[in-house]
Amino acid sequence: MMPSRPALAERALSWLLLAYPPLFRARFAARMHQSLLREHDAARSRGPAAHAAFWILTVGDIIRFAAALRVVAFRHPPRAEEGGPRMRPVLSVDWRDAWRSLRAAPLVTVIAVLSLGLGIGANTALFSILNSLVLKSLPVRDPDRLMLVDHGSWTNPIWEEIRAREGDISDGAFAWAAETFDLSSRGETDPVEGIWASGRLFEVLGVPAVIGRTFTSADDARGGGPDGPVAVISYDLWHRRFGGEVGVIGRTLVVERVPFTIIGVTPRGFFGPDVGRSYQVAIPIGTQPLVGGKGGVLDGRSDWWLEIMLRLKPGQSEAQATAMLSALQPQIRAATLPADLPAQEQPRYLSDPLKLLSAASGRSPLRSRYEAPLTAIMVVVGIVLLIACANIANLLLARGAARRRELTLRVALGASRFRIVRQLLAESLMLAGAGALLGLAVAGAGSRLVVAQLSTMANPVYLDLSFDWRVLGFTTLVTITTAVLFGLALAAGVRSIAPNEAVKEHARGSSDRRLGVRQFLVVAQVALSLALVVGAGLFGRTFFALATRPSGFERGSVLIATVNVQKSGANAAARPELFERLRLAAAGVPAVRSAAVSFTTPVGDTGWNTGITVPPGSTLTRRERTAWINAVSPAWFDTYGMRRVAGRDFDGRDQPGAPLAAIVNRAFVLRFLTGNAIGARFTQAGRNGTSYEVVGVVEDAVYRSLRAEMAPTMFVPLAQQTDLGPSISVGVRVAGGPPMAVARSLADALQREDPTAALSFHSLEAQVNASLTQERLVATLSAFFGGLALLLAGVGLYGVTAYAVNARRVEIGIRMALGATATGVVRMILRRVGWLMLAGVAIGGGLSVWASRYIAALLYGLRPFDPATFAGAALLLAVVGALAGWLPARRAARVDPMIALRDG
């Protein structure tokens, strides 16, 4: 329920008092301000609707309260000849006159508000996303004191060494790792976002439980603490799955087929330490052996999977904490030296420093991926807003021509130009304010739509998009800026008003000057529109190039089943045999042409690389000596449509104990082998010199990213692997129809072979499309706003041309009376339009060349200055300009000379 009206009035007064520091320092003012902040937080906690209602009502009360106190906006009081008594409140008069003026031209007002609403809303939507991703602090206690141990992921032994010394370094430390947990009891998976959490995670963050309790250090013991395996769930999962029941504490939640006891629920609004991802279930790191089996990673010195964060002590600086961590680094590094690390790399590991970074805004893999694209799109929508402002200025200038006699009459009667400018600026602010209110509604829907486009089935994205002071401040700044931009265009015309114009029957003395301003605005619109269309073309061609790039595999008609056999009881040595049985079961499903099993799939989330031993004296760098690797079963290349160019496929000869075989791609042959590849041998570095014989060569294919070059890749037989994890990918090529149509039959076949297997399904086409999320989003948004810019530029050009035609009706009538043809009139008008277009294209071309270099990193297969894209954008703009100019030119050609001369 919203506060009462008197309470809102008191809060309005408290905001007004902030503008006057002596009053703000008064005890009663500070008390009122604190009350306002508390009620603001209460409204925000009730949800977005209550939060928005709070601000709308409070701002309205501020305006009404200011009017009631007769707040004067300008130093100079109104003169008596401007109407009303000398002490009449200037602000209320300006707003009243502005409202009457805008209401008198509803079409102009509606168009202006809609244009501004879309422009301000788009800017606010993008800013709210960037604010959530980059600027907004974590919703925890004192986020400014949180520090992240930099340099990527860490092993659990490193975390345990830091945890043992956390009191010396900081006020507390915790570790976590993002994970997708399966909450199903059997069969198809029920995935939710989760985290592995150390015992003090919630304590160090300062996040209490809504009900129950959070983890303690005792809960993080290996195999479970005194209460056994325990879990903390999010507020969202509590309501979605358990209906918000208080009795959820003590209930069992199955995580990865292991029962966990729910001990607490975290507050609403807490999404975890990862920005862009909202956790649903947290379980202690110490329970990893229960979920991961005997092959857990708690003791693995080469398993890099944890993130580490710590909280500074009161009064401790970042430099002091870093110095203390650096002092302990030699002990931590020496105690966690990986046993399989080559001798030549050990000195670098031991000396690699442990650094700290500010973590007030959390950790976010999305930040580095989407910060640059979203910033580029925000520049685009900012330019669209400038074009909209130019359009509105053109619209208001055209309307101002009709009001010129009114304004000159007011000057003739004694009104000052300052008074008229003030009223015009009030109209501009009212238009901008209405556009801002509409823009906030557009921003809310638009930001959610953009985040939905960032999300995929495998990687859902969560961002806190609630409006805070940054978003509201940004919207206010944009609103005032836009009001000033097109308000000054109106105010500039007031200088040319002469009182004697009021007594003239037709005062057209300034029409040429006003037309010149409008033509300048159109040229600016055309130039900015060209830059946006060029950008849209570059981003669109980048997306098309990646989407149609020859990938080396056939993405259609392939269904991928991710299978986890953790609960089957098969150890690592027995898993290859189980995986082969699963493959044969999948191959026996009707409508399946072929089936195969592999460690990873093309353009998948997982990757595996290895070093290749090269001859002494080789000029290859360390990075160039690395090759991708995949473990696959027989028929894998046929299933994924990868063409074999030499040798054979894997078969029954490639069994455990047989000579190690490998199939390599062309890029591998060119970099590491000489002569005939079939029968050649190479050695894998870092694994005791494991040697492989090449038995086949396949065409190059994309491994993880469509943007990457075709990299050297080796494929090894799945049957010869002795350290496979429990998760594997079963791919099938479907004979006909959509791949997902056989998911149910495939699930039944796999379940018959292993009833404990956890399954999830998706098509290879969907997996490839998900990898292009960033490019698709940038191309879609840039195309939309580029098209909007074209539309606005066309409307602006049409308006200027129509205004010029109307101003020259008498001249056109005389020309036609003297023998000018309709074709000649059209040509004359289009020639003027052509000059405007040519000037805009010339300026826009230079602007595009300058700006395109800043988006080079986002492009693929294109130079920033691409002649075809520039030419296509200029041609498209020319077509729009020709159409916008031809419509009023055609109407001018139909002018009746007698009517034009008589009206003139």
Side-chain angles (χ1 to χ4, degrees):
M1 186 175 69
M2 289 303 299
S4 64
R5 306 300 298 167
L8 284 173
E10 291 178 4
R11 287 199 300 277
L13 175 61
S14 73
W15 279 108
L16 289 173
L17 294 174
L18 293 180
Y20 191 56
L23 287 179
F24 175 65
R25 285 194 293 268
R27 183 174 301 176
F28 76 94
R31 198 161 50 239
M32 292 177 66
H33 182 61
Q34 291 299 323
S35 175
L36 172 63
L37 293 180
R38 284 195 299 271
E39 296 196 16
H40 166 264
D41 293 340
R44 181 178 179 182
S45 67
R46 287 194 292 271
H51 192 205
F54 171 87
W55 278 111
I56 292 173
L57 292 176
T58 301
V59 171
D61 278 338
I62 290 174
I63 295 174
R64 284 191 291 274
F65 196 79
L69 292 177
R70 299 183 180 275
V71 176
V72 179
F74 298 92
R75 291 180 180 273
H76 303 289
R79 290 165 21 194
E81 60 268 30
E82 293 178 352
R86 188 175 182 82
M87 294 303 295
R88 190 171 183 178
V90 175
L91 186 61
S92 61
V93 172
D94 287 342
W95 291 123
R96 185 196 64 194
D97 291 346
W99 168 248
R100 289 176 177 175
S101 177
L102 295 177
R103 191 174 57 184
L107 182 61
V108 173
T109 302
V110 169
I111 292 175
V113 170
L114 289 177
S115 300
L116 282 175
L118 183 59
I120 294 176
N123 278 271
T124 303
L126 267 296
F127 180 81
S128 65
I129 294 175
L130 285 173
N131 176 51
S132 178
L133 197 61
V134 180
L135 303 177
K136 186 177 289 187
S137 298
L138 287 174
V140 299
R141 171 173 53 88
D142 297 332
D144 293 337
R145 290 170 54 196
L146 292 175
M147 306 299 296
L148 180 71
V149 181
D150 191 27
H151 198 65
S153 300
W154 303 96
T155 66
N156 187 64
I158 291 177
W159 156 240
E160 290 181 346
E161 290 293 325
I162 293 178
R163 182 178 60 185
R165 300 168 175 83
E166 63 177 323
D168 299 331
I169 306 171
S170 65
D171 200 26
F174 64 90
W176 83 99
E179 184 68 270
T180 300
F181 292 130
D182 175 23
L183 301 188
S184 66
S185 298
R186 58 170 297 161
E188 193 165 349
T189 59
D190 179 13
V192 299
E193 299 300 306
I195 54 173
W196 297 100
S198 64
R200 296 192 63 198
L201 182 143
F202 298 103
E203 176 191 348
V204 174
L205 286 176
V207 178
V210 175
I211 59 172
R213 65 177 180 86
T214 56
F215 296 143
T216 64
S217 298
D219 295 317
D220 195 19
R222 299 198 180 199
D227 297 328
V230 294
V232 172
I233 63 174
S234 69
Y235 189 94
D236 176 64
L237 186 71
W238 178 40
H239 277 264
R240 180 164 48 85
R241 188 172 290 251
F242 300 101
E245 297 178 7
V246 178
V248 71
I249 303 301
R251 292 179 60 174
T252 297
L253 181 70
V254 176
V255 181
E256 297 292 338
R257 312 297 169 89
V258 177
F260 282 76
T261 302
I262 299 175
I263 61 171
V265 178
T266 52
R268 181 179 183 177
F270 176 71
F271 49 80
D274 288 304
V275 176
R277 187 178 185 275
S278 180
Y279 97 101
Q280 303 294 308
V281 178
I283 59 178
I285 293 174
T287 61
Q288 199 280 335
L290 297 177
V291 175
K294 295 181 180 179
V297 295
L298 294 187
D299 296 318
R301 296 188 176 187
S302 297
D303 294 314
W304 306 84
W305 61 297
L306 292 174
E307 306 296 332
I308 302 174
M309 196 176 286
L310 53 84
R311 178 178 289 278
L312 297 178
K313 298 177 181 179
Q316 184 182 29
S317 67
E318 177 182 340
Q320 291 172 334
T322 301
M324 298 183 72
L325 184 61
S326 298
L328 296 172
Q329 173 196 321
Q331 305 171 39
I332 295 173
R333 290 289 192 182
T336 60
L337 182 67
D340 60 349
L341 191 67
Q344 63 270 23
E345 297 182 18
Q346 291 181 9
R348 198 180 87 172
Y349 174 86
L350 294 172
S351 62
D352 200 10
L354 300 176
K355 301 177 182 178
L356 294 178
L357 292 178
S358 174
S361 56
R363 173 190 171 273
S364 177
L366 287 175
R367 191 172 295 151
S368 57
R369 181 178 179 186
Y370 286 108
E371 185 175 359
L374 289 175
T375 302
I377 294 299
M378 191 164 182
V379 172
V380 167
V381 297
I383 294 175
V384 169
L385 182 58
L386 286 178
I387 296 174
C389 289
N391 239 11
I392 295 171
N394 260 330
L395 197 64
L396 296 180
L397 283 172
R399 180 169 172 264
R403 297 179 61 193
R404 190 169 183 83
R405 288 179 60 81
E406 170 205 337
L407 298 179
T408 55
L409 183 61
R410 292 180 64 179
V411 172
L413 293 177
S416 67
R417 287 179 172 82
F418 175 74
R419 176 69 179 83
I420 295 175
V421 167
R422 198 171 63 208
Q423 181 184 341
L424 294 177
L425 288 177
E427 293 179 20
S428 301
L429 284 171
M430 186 168 285
L431 277 176
L437 291 177
L438 177 61
L440 288 176
V442 172
S447 58
R448 289 191 295 271
L449 179 62
V450 172
V451 170
Q453 297 300 313
L454 293 176
S455 299
T456 63
M457 185 177 298
N459 296 298
V461 173
Y462 168 83
L463 291 174
D464 179 13
L465 299 176
S466 60
F467 292 157
D468 61 3
W469 66 270
R470 293 188 188 90
V471 176
L472 293 173
F474 174 82
T475 305
T476 302
L477 178 62
V478 170
T479 302
I480 295 174
T481 303
T482 53
V484 171
L485 282 176
F486 57 78
L488 289 179
L490 296 176
V494 176
R495 297 179 57 191
S496 63
I497 293 178
N500 62 347
E501 290 184 20
V503 299
K504 296 181 181 179
E505 184 179 359
H506 296 290
R508 293 192 180 99
S510 64
S511 62
D512 290 340
R513 286 192 295 272
R514 297 176 72 83
L515 185 60
V517 173
R518 298 187 65 195
Q519 288 175 340
F520 169 78
L521 291 175
V522 167
V523 169
Q525 283 182 288
V526 171
L528 294 174
S529 298
L530 179 65
L532 295 190
V533 174
V534 168
L538 292 173
F539 289 136
R541 292 186 63 189
T542 291
F543 173 68
F544 180 78
L546 288 170
T548 59
R549 177 192 178 186
S551 57
F553 57 85
E554 298 177 11
R555 64 185 71 176
S557 301
V558 175
L559 177 67
I560 299 173
T562 302
V563 183
N564 190 306
V565 297
Q566 179 65 54
K567 301 306 175 184
S568 66
N571 57 29
R575 283 171 186 160
E577 181 182 351
L578 174 59
F579 293 153
E580 178 63 15
R581 295 201 307 269
L582 291 174
R583 183 184 76 85
L584 295 176
V589 174
V592 170
R593 285 170 43 191
S594 63
V597 181
S598 61
F599 166 75
T600 187
T601 55
V603 200
D605 292 332
T606 57
W608 179 12
N609 56 27
T610 185
I612 303 299
T613 301
V614 296
S618 173
T619 59
L620 294 178
T621 64
R622 179 181 175 184
R623 184 174 182 178
E624 291 173 339
R625 299 178 187 183
T626 302
W628 290 109
I629 186 171
N630 194 5
V632 303
S633 70
W636 191 84
F637 301 103
D638 293 337
T639 300
Y640 287 92
M642 294 175 62
R643 191 169 71 88
R644 199 168 59 252
V645 296
R648 62 174 179 87
D649 195 357
F650 295 133
D651 53 29
R653 287 170 284 183
D654 306 305
Q655 295 297 319
L660 297 180
I663 296 175
V664 298
N665 66 351
R666 287 184 181 272
F668 190 99
V669 174
L670 291 175
R671 183 171 298 181
F672 298 113
L673 303 178
T674 57
N676 185 18
I678 303 300
R681 304 191 69 87
F682 66 89
T683 303
Q684 183 179 0
R687 298 193 64 178
N688 300 322
T690 305
S691 179
Y692 293 88
E693 178 184 354
V694 177
V695 298
V697 179
V698 295
E699 288 286 1
D700 293 336
V702 174
Y703 188 89
R704 286 194 69 177
S705 172
L706 287 168
R707 280 182 173 268
E709 297 179 358
M710 297 296 185
T713 307
M714 57 179 287
F715 303 89
V716 296
L718 195 75
Q720 293 184 337
Q721 305 306 304
T722 59
D723 55 353
L724 291 173
S727 185
I728 205 72
S729 296
V730 179
V732 298
R733 177 164 293 278
V734 180
M740 291 301 295
V742 302
R744 185 68 269 163
S745 300
L746 181 59
D748 292 340
L750 296 176
Q751 287 285 170
R752 284 193 296 269
E753 191 61 43
D754 183 4
T756 68
L759 311 173
S760 62
F761 299 91
H762 62 274
S763 67
L764 180 59
E765 185 76 29
Q767 182 167 296
V768 174
N769 290 339
S771 71
L772 295 174
T773 299
Q774 172 185 316
E775 290 77 10
R776 183 184 300 104
L777 176 69
V778 173
T780 302
L781 292 179
S782 61
F784 173 77
F785 289 113
L788 180 61
L790 270 180
L791 176 63
L792 292 174
V795 170
L797 187 58
Y798 170 83
V800 166
T801 307
Y803 177 82
V805 166
N806 185 62
R808 300 175 64 186
R809 286 180 72 249
V810 175
E811 174 194 342
I812 293 173
I814 294 174
R815 286 176 179 270
M816 297 189 70
L818 295 176
T821 63
T823 303
V825 171
V826 171
R827 188 183 303 115
M828 176 188 68
I829 295 173
L830 289 181
R831 186 182 304 116
R832 188 165 187 169
V833 171
W835 282 113
L836 292 177
M837 293 294 299
L838 185 62
V841 168
I843 297 173
L847 178 63
S848 301
V849 171
W850 172 78
S852 60
R853 58 182 176 173
Y854 293 104
I855 62 173
L858 301 176
L859 304 180
Y860 173 80
L862 293 171
R863 292 178 298 166
F865 178 68
D866 182 65
T869 303
F870 276 71
L875 180 61
L876 181 59
L877 202 59
V879 171
V880 172
L883 180 61
W886 177 77
L887 293 175
R890 179 171 172 268
R891 188 167 63 249
R894 296 180 177 181
V895 169
D896 187 332
M898 295 304 297
I899 295 177
L901 293 173
R902 183 184 63 197
D903 293 343

